Amino acid sequence: MAIPAYYSLIQKGSYGPDEALVQTWLNGVRDQCSYYPALTTDGRFGTRSENAVKEFQLRNNMNMDGKVGANTWNVLYAKYTAKHGLAVPYPGIVMRTGMSGGTIRLIQQKLNTLGEKIGTDGKFGSRTAAAVQRFQRRNGLTADGAVGKATWEKLFPAS
C-alpha cells in the first residue's frame, strides 16, 4: 500500500498536495524512453500531468484514462519506491489550511505519533495548523502552521 494512502480521484483540473506528489512520482519514474517531459511540481493537474499519467498507464498495462485512482496511485508509488527507496518525498508545494488529501492525512497521523491528538480526516483545518505550529516550535522552525520543505523534512527524515 502506498504512503500516503490513496485519498480521492485525481483528474484534470484537480489541485493540491496529492496532485503535487503524483507529479513528483511521475518525474521520479521517467526514463530515457519516456515521451512526457518533466512535469512542473505545482499541484495543478492539467493536460501535461494527464498525458504523463496516460503514458504511465500504457507502459504498465493499465486502463489508460489519465486519471489517478487507487490502482494507478499504488502502482505509481510502487514504481517510484522501487527506484528511489521508501522515503516519503516532499510533495513540492506548501501545505496549509484549506487543503485536503492523503498527504494531509499522513501529516496528521505523523503528528499524532509525536503526541498530538488531532483527527486524521485528511482535511487541513485549524487544529492541524495549531499542531503543526507546536511541532515547528519544538523543532526550531518558523511556526507558521504550514508544512513546507523544512517542516516536511523534520516530520519525515530521509534516514
Side-chain angles (χ1 to χ4, degrees):
M1 178 178 271
I3 300 171
Y6 171 75
Y7 185 79
S8 65
L9 182 67
I10 296 172
Q11 60 189 337
K12 190 172 179 182
S14 297
Y15 172 77
D18 289 357
E19 289 77 358
L21 188 57
V22 166
Q23 292 166 332
T24 298
W25 287 345
L26 285 165
N27 285 338
V29 299
R30 285 180 75 244
D31 59 27
Q32 66 273 14
C33 296
S34 297
Y35 288 106
Y36 65 90
L39 300 169
T40 301
T41 307
D42 59 6
R44 297 183 190 290
F45 199 85
T47 301
R48 290 181 66 196
S49 296
E50 180 183 50
N51 289 338
V53 168
K54 284 180 181 177
E55 181 182 327
F56 176 82
Q57 291 168 329
L58 177 67
R59 293 177 76 186
N60 288 280
N61 300 313
M62 303 171 74
N63 178 31
M64 198 176 86
D65 62 4
K67 298 175 183 177
V68 182
N71 190 42
T72 300
W73 178 272
N74 289 324
V75 172
L76 182 55
Y77 170 80
K79 297 287 184 179
Y80 181 87
T81 56
K83 190 171 180 180
H84 300 282
L86 292 175
V88 182
Y90 173 61
I93 63 171
V94 176
M95 289 149 285
R96 55 179 42 98
T97 303
M99 293 183 158
S100 63
T103 308
I104 303 303
R105 184 187 308 135
L106 180 65
I107 291 167
Q108 293 167 329
Q109 290 168 339
K110 181 65 173 189
L111 288 167
N112 283 341
T113 68
L114 299 172
E116 294 294 336
K117 291 180 174 41
I118 57 175
T120 56
D121 59 1
K123 296 176 183 168
F124 201 127
S126 59
R127 294 193 69 204
T128 300
V132 169
Q133 286 177 320
R134 288 188 292 274
F135 173 82
Q136 289 169 325
R137 280 193 288 276
R138 287 192 306 269
N139 287 278
L141 301 165
T142 302
D144 60 4
V147 179
K149 189 169 177 44
T151 301
W152 182 271
E153 288 175 351
K154 287 282 187 179
L155 278 168
F156 304 102
S159 55

